[in-house]
Amino acid sequence: METPAAREAQGAEAPRLPAPPPPPSPAEPPATPRARPRLVFRTQLAHGSPTGKIEGFTNVRELYSKIAEAFGIAPTEILFCTLNSHKVDMQKLLGGQIGLEDFIFAHVRGETKEVEVTKTEDALGLTITDNGAGCAFIKRIKEGSIINRIQAVCVGDSIEAINDHSIVGCRHYEVAKMLRELPKSQPFTLRLVQPKRAFDMIGQRSRSSKCPMEAKVSSGRETLRLRSGRAATVEEVPSEFDEEASQRVDDLLESYMGIRDPELASTMVETSKKTASVQEFARHLDSVLGEFAFPDEFVVEVWAAIGEAREACG
């Protein structure tokens, strides 16, 4: 006779052993990250030098440091750079983008000069830009203006001091504001540094009352985009809309503020793409470019100009 314990034992299932692990599959090699292309640029000093090669920079200050290292000079000796031309040609000025095949010419400090100016009109006729590394310089001189009548002042001259007050390290909009606020009928002194020139550039004095479309400096389909405070990136050449809108915004910067800055204009166009109204656009500009303190009427003009560029480009 079966005992209850025996019946319980017969009805109980034997414990299941865990299944053996599957045989190991052949290990897959880890995905190899896409190698970043090595970007090497050729460079010379604009007044004449052997050709150097530079790489590994992510912003304008680092670019100037690399050029200075290649030629054994201090970075502060460099006033500005042009692309594919050794001449003081503001249409070839290095801005926020470098074509991957562009040749960089560095314009360094030459002679220092002082000029006395009497402000007989509200506007001096200067358009100021800067090199992104603490050096503001003259980009345009308006025909028939006060400055136009002073032969010693030339396009490309760096403004080092106003009335013995150093403006080294100031941004272009700060220098333009200082010049606008100078009282009329009182003489003031500008200390200027002209770029060192090669023999074939002596006597050159470029000025224009018109502002032609900035020359396209890229020679390929991609450019190296230099951004303030962020790493450089390789990008496609700007679209027709981006170029048209940036040009219109840059024109407004000149008429309102007396500066030209293609990179600033491009940043404003990019900001507009993230917004749906002029009010939202104004708020975004305040958050990313608040130091400029753009007046409301200027922001409205910029928004309208970008919209016109969009319509023009279909």
Side-chain angles (χ1 to χ4, degrees), residues 193-215:
V193 179
Q194 68 183 34
K196 191 172 184 179
R197 300 172 187 266
F199 179 77
D200 65 341
M201 298 161 66
I202 293 175
Q204 175 179 309
R205 188 182 190 219
S206 174
R207 63 186 68 241
S208 172
S209 59
K210 299 179 181 179
C211 185
M213 176 70 78
E214 296 289 340

Side-chain angles (χ1 to χ4, degrees), residues 4-143:
R7 286 196 300 270
E8 185 177 347
Q10 288 178 357
E13 294 184 1
R16 294 183 179 179
L17 298 175
S25 58
E28 296 183 3
T32 303
R34 184 180 177 184
R36 185 176 179 179
R38 183 184 176 193
L39 303 178
V40 180
F41 295 87
R42 293 171 299 158
T43 182
Q44 285 183 2
L45 300 180
H47 63 277
S49 75
T51 298
K53 292 184 178 181
I54 56 172
E55 60 179 306
F57 55 90
T58 61
N59 55 51
V60 173
R61 288 183 183 274
E62 291 181 6
L63 166 63
Y64 284 15
S65 293
K66 293 290 184 179
I67 294 174
E69 183 181 341
F71 296 109
I73 61 176
T76 52
E77 288 291 302
I78 302 173
L79 301 180
F80 56 87
C81 294
T82 51
L83 299 175
N84 307 315
S85 173
H86 71 285
K87 296 181 179 180
V88 180
D89 184 347
M90 294 294 111
Q91 294 188 52
K92 302 293 181 65
L93 192 65
L94 185 151
Q97 295 184 347
I98 308 175
L100 299 189
E101 297 179 5
D102 282 338
F103 200 112
I104 303 170
F105 289 90
H107 298 255
V108 301
R109 293 173 61 93
E111 295 182 5
T112 300
K113 54 193 175 183
E114 288 197 357
V115 296
E116 186 175 278
V117 184
T118 300
K119 191 176 182 181
T120 56
E121 304 170 19
D122 290 331
L124 292 169
L126 287 177
T127 298
I128 309 297
T129 191
D130 64 43
N131 67 1
C135 174
F137 58 94
I138 299 170
K139 187 169 185 179
R140 290 212 309 129
I141 299 174
K142 186 177 180 180
E143 203 72 45

